[in-house]
Amino acid sequence: MPIYYHKQDNIFHIQSKGMSYIIKVLDGFPVHLYWGKRLEDQSNFSYLIDPMRSETIDRLPQEYPQYGSGDFRHPAYQVQLKDGSRITELIYKGYRIFQGKPSLEGLPSTYVEDKQEAQTIQLELLDEYSGLFVVLYYTVYEDENVVTRSARLINNGNGDVQILRALSASLDFHDPDYEMIYLSGASRRERHIQRKAIAPGSVSIESRRGNASSHHLNPFFAMVRPHTTEDYGDAFGFSLIYSGSFRAEIEVDPFFTTRASIGINPFDFSWLLHKGESFQTPEVVMVYSSEGIGDMSRTYHRLYRNRLCRGVHKDNERPILVNNWEATYFDFDEDKILSIAKTGKELGLELLVLDDGWFGERNDDTSSLGDWFENKVKLPNGLKHLAKQVNEQGLQFGLWFEPEMISPNSELYRKHPDWCIHVPGRRRTEFRNQLVLDYSRQDVRDYIFTSLANIFKTVPISYVKWDMNRNLMEVGSADHPVTQQQEIGHRYILGLYDLLEKITNTFPHILFEGCAGGGGRFDPGMLHYMPQIWASDNTDAVERLKIQYGTSIVYPVSTMGSHVSAVPNHQVNRITPLKTRGDVAMSGNFGYELDLTLFTPEEKEIVKNQVELYKEIRLLVQSGEMYRLKSPFEGNETAWMFVSNDQKEAIVFYSKVLAEANLLPKDRLKLKGLKPSLIYQVDGINNDYLGDQLLYAGLPIPQLKGDFQSMMFCLKSLS
Ligand code: DGJ
């Protein structure tokens, strides 16, 4: 995994097991030479820069391009100096190569557990005129085809500098023959896969929501060759570890160079950098695969599961839970919750989660956010008593919070009306009857920490669902000067990370699950603090096929919360079999979100079997390698599978949405990731097959009758 420096040519070669990334310092600029399949190290890489490209800076492929001296493409950064000018010229000054990977001040990032796992290079650049010093960080992991990048801007000049734009990375590909893959959607339709050709001009994806990466566009894109498939061809992924407003852009210029960049959204952003201060950009995780989109995803899965998520729960089997939200909404009392817990125990469940409505005077969504003490009408014996009762039933107890929000109708708001994000004199626009607490303020964060900590210290809580249901509007903070109001979005996110760091460190035994109106903040930033996130408020099994398949482009299934809910489904009114609902939900962190007491005895038997099965397979589901077999975006069938690291076990999930008449069975289902020479026993079919048969000839799928059907197959090697 070395990083080589060739002094004579001023070339840096960042090399991993299967990947090379090469930079040359040319006329003082760090110039991008190559990113792709691994090249043996040698010293004649200079030919990789065409002389015509180095004729003018407007054609030069660059690593961190600037604005103002002839490059008219979109820059990686821009600052405004004391004299009002916005022109800088960063010139290479030196480098440092070291073992390991530094953490990013105040920001989540991937990490190493041992310095030998990764090597880092920092390139140092200086604008002599202003004293702006920029450090570009590149880390390469020993075992993965990954480069992580970030930048640090340091004001070594004499006056203030206003940062107008500071992206995490920019990279110029030498041709435009790519398609862009990204994940788009909406609330209850998160992370659907989009793929389109790029062409001269620009295409961008972004969030302007301030406190969320958003349901609408995930902070990720990949560039793939037009012929790239799930299993073949080049794929270049960019995933930003950030939970606020981001922007990614791909621009094909007149010379057909393709500039790709990603970072904090420059829209409504600026940052005042006083003399001596520095600004750290978030990290972007860039994955290369020569073996298609599936391999790119598995690289992200391993890295995010093992070196982004943290804490004791990261590698633990996640509890099977029952959540009362779709069971009762706001309408519950102690007896109702205990009856659900009791049935949960009977069915083998492990954790009961009490969702929204347990605090203040909360009986609907019009009040009480911020008043984190129990609702005495619903819980007259208190929260602690309820939690203990649930524990006595044999289940762990979990609790819902929305700690970033405040209801105008709350004790907290009446006491501290200035604690929300607002602009004095302007309307405070409500959404879901709520406002957003100003997390850029230390006093606000301290208050929330204390309120939550008081509960965590007195109530036996094993799990917290951290929800967030409103984006930033009328962005302003009473705590910051006029000149720094455009910092509030980013300061909010830094404040959120600061609080999450403190709270998860203080209460390491609690399993945190992120949520934002479902999957509105399903991003790598949150995963650094919470190893799982509620993937979507859409719990319909058919809708979930696309949501979970799309999410898996970047995120491991160990991060996806996934529950069985009642039929007709509350979001789309569809009636699907309990089996299908169970099978789909088992491809994630499994749970139920319905009134368990309403199950018939037959349904209870099905559920018991599902729970039993999940307990057997969950380690494999949560830590195996995921292979996507059939895409719900391309047809009536969906299939994926999980393979154990020793390839001796696998779980195959298959589903067919609509039944079809008078059709011969389609092609068999070709599996992936197995060892050709092993014999596998296939549960559910009662037959043994050699791995090569399953890989190349395929697994025969029995004809399924009726709509919305699914099957699961457990494979075990006999040898
Ligand atoms: C939005 C979440 O996504 C739901 O799961 C639920 O917790 C509600 N909020 C509660 O208000």
mmCIF file of all heavy atoms in Angstrom, residues 99 172 194 218 287 291 311 548 565 610 649 673 690:
data_model
loop_
_atom_site.group_PDB
_atom_site.id
_atom_site.type_symbol
_atom_site.label_atom_id
_atom_site.label_comp_id
_atom_site.label_asym_id
_atom_site.label_seq_id
_atom_site.Cartn_x
_atom_site.Cartn_y
_atom_site.Cartn_z
ATOM 1 N N GLN A 99 2.440 7.052 8.034
ATOM 2 C CA GLN A 99 1.613 5.876 8.283
ATOM 3 C C GLN A 99 0.344 6.286 9.012
ATOM 4 O O GLN A 99 0.374 7.191 9.841
ATOM 5 C CB GLN A 99 2.369 4.957 9.217
ATOM 6 C CG GLN A 99 2.908 3.634 8.745
ATOM 7 C CD GLN A 99 2.494 3.084 7.439
ATOM 8 O OE1 GLN A 99 3.235 3.247 6.478
ATOM 9 N NE2 GLN A 99 1.360 2.417 7.390
ATOM 10 N N ASP A 172 -10.051 15.832 -12.168
ATOM 11 C CA ASP A 172 -10.288 15.976 -13.607
ATOM 12 C C ASP A 172 -9.986 14.669 -14.336
ATOM 13 O O ASP A 172 -8.827 14.255 -14.419
ATOM 14 C CB ASP A 172 -9.407 17.099 -14.168
ATOM 15 C CG ASP A 172 -9.867 18.469 -13.685
ATOM 16 O OD1 ASP A 172 -10.988 18.568 -13.147
ATOM 17 O OD2 ASP A 172 -9.107 19.438 -13.837
ATOM 18 N N GLN A 194 -30.494 6.431 -10.066
ATOM 19 C CA GLN A 194 -30.559 7.154 -11.342
ATOM 20 C C GLN A 194 -29.258 6.915 -12.083
ATOM 21 O O GLN A 194 -28.195 6.864 -11.471
ATOM 22 C CB GLN A 194 -30.717 8.667 -11.112
ATOM 23 C CG GLN A 194 -31.872 9.058 -10.225
ATOM 24 C CD GLN A 194 -33.223 8.717 -10.826
ATOM 25 O OE1 GLN A 194 -33.360 8.566 -12.050
ATOM 26 N NE2 GLN A 194 -34.231 8.539 -9.981
ATOM 27 N N ASN A 218 -28.790 11.935 -2.265
ATOM 28 C CA ASN A 218 -27.823 11.458 -1.282
ATOM 29 C C ASN A 218 -26.442 12.038 -1.623
ATOM 30 O O ASN A 218 -26.138 12.238 -2.797
ATOM 31 C CB ASN A 218 -27.793 9.926 -1.329
ATOM 32 C CG ASN A 218 -27.234 9.335 -0.063
ATOM 33 O OD1 ASN A 218 -26.100 8.874 -0.040
ATOM 34 N ND2 ASN A 218 -28.012 9.364 1.003
ATOM 35 N N VAL A 287 -13.948 5.526 -4.102
ATOM 36 C CA VAL A 287 -13.722 4.087 -4.285
ATOM 37 C C VAL A 287 -13.566 3.802 -5.775
ATOM 38 O O VAL A 287 -14.340 4.301 -6.594
ATOM 39 C CB VAL A 287 -14.916 3.278 -3.727
ATOM 40 C CG1 VAL A 287 -14.853 1.825 -4.181
ATOM 41 C CG2 VAL A 287 -14.929 3.348 -2.206
ATOM 42 N N GLU A 291 -14.281 -3.903 -11.341
ATOM 43 C CA GLU A 291 -15.211 -5.030 -11.459
ATOM 44 C C GLU A 291 -16.657 -4.638 -11.200
ATOM 45 O O GLU A 291 -17.413 -5.352 -10.544
ATOM 46 C CB GLU A 291 -14.793 -6.139 -10.494
ATOM 47 C CG GLU A 291 -13.558 -6.870 -10.983
ATOM 48 C CD GLU A 291 -12.875 -7.612 -9.873
ATOM 49 O OE1 GLU A 291 -13.592 -8.155 -9.014
ATOM 50 O OE2 GLU A 291 -11.637 -7.622 -9.854
ATOM 51 N N GLY A 311 -18.058 2.066 18.003
ATOM 52 C CA GLY A 311 -18.778 1.718 19.230
ATOM 53 C C GLY A 311 -19.009 0.234 19.391
ATOM 54 O O GLY A 311 -18.773 -0.563 18.482
ATOM 55 N N GLN A 548 -34.313 -0.303 -0.377
ATOM 56 C CA GLN A 548 -33.174 -1.026 0.205
ATOM 57 C C GLN A 548 -32.131 -1.375 -0.861
ATOM 58 O O GLN A 548 -30.930 -1.312 -0.600
ATOM 59 C CB GLN A 548 -33.658 -2.264 0.970
ATOM 60 C CG GLN A 548 -34.448 -1.854 2.210
ATOM 61 C CD GLN A 548 -35.063 -2.981 3.019
ATOM 62 O OE1 GLN A 548 -36.028 -2.772 3.724
ATOM 63 N NE2 GLN A 548 -34.538 -4.186 2.932
ATOM 64 N N SER A 565 -44.587 -4.234 8.796
ATOM 65 C CA SER A 565 -45.697 -3.411 9.297
ATOM 66 C C SER A 565 -47.031 -4.063 8.915
ATOM 67 O O SER A 565 -47.063 -5.070 8.212
ATOM 68 C CB SER A 565 -45.598 -1.994 8.740
ATOM 69 O OG SER A 565 -45.713 -2.045 7.341
ATOM 70 N N GLN A 610 -40.180 -16.450 11.709
ATOM 71 C CA GLN A 610 -39.337 -15.391 11.128
ATOM 72 C C GLN A 610 -38.269 -14.967 12.129
ATOM 73 O O GLN A 610 -37.093 -14.828 11.803
ATOM 74 C CB GLN A 610 -40.203 -14.170 10.768
ATOM 75 C CG GLN A 610 -41.083 -14.388 9.549
ATOM 76 C CD GLN A 610 -41.992 -13.206 9.258
ATOM 77 O OE1 GLN A 610 -42.266 -12.372 10.125
ATOM 78 N NE2 GLN A 610 -42.494 -13.144 8.029
ATOM 79 N N GLU A 649 -21.340 -20.155 3.734
ATOM 80 C CA GLU A 649 -22.772 -19.956 3.962
ATOM 81 C C GLU A 649 -23.274 -18.777 3.148
ATOM 82 O O GLU A 649 -22.520 -17.828 2.895
ATOM 83 C CB GLU A 649 -23.021 -19.658 5.447
ATOM 84 C CG GLU A 649 -22.925 -20.874 6.322
ATOM 85 C CD GLU A 649 -23.187 -20.509 7.761
ATOM 86 O OE1 GLU A 649 -24.325 -20.127 8.065
ATOM 87 O OE2 GLU A 649 -22.245 -20.581 8.553
ATOM 88 N N GLY A 673 -20.513 -14.835 -5.690
ATOM 89 C CA GLY A 673 -19.714 -14.806 -4.456
ATOM 90 C C GLY A 673 -19.443 -16.164 -3.836
ATOM 91 O O GLY A 673 -18.789 -16.243 -2.795
ATOM 92 N N LEU A 690 -23.233 -28.045 -6.662
ATOM 93 C CA LEU A 690 -21.865 -27.553 -6.624
ATOM 94 C C LEU A 690 -21.903 -26.040 -6.837
ATOM 95 O O LEU A 690 -22.756 -25.537 -7.582
ATOM 96 C CB LEU A 690 -21.066 -28.193 -7.756
ATOM 97 C CG LEU A 690 -20.024 -29.242 -7.362
ATOM 98 C CD1 LEU A 690 -19.361 -29.811 -8.576
ATOM 99 C CD2 LEU A 690 -18.986 -28.666 -6.388
#
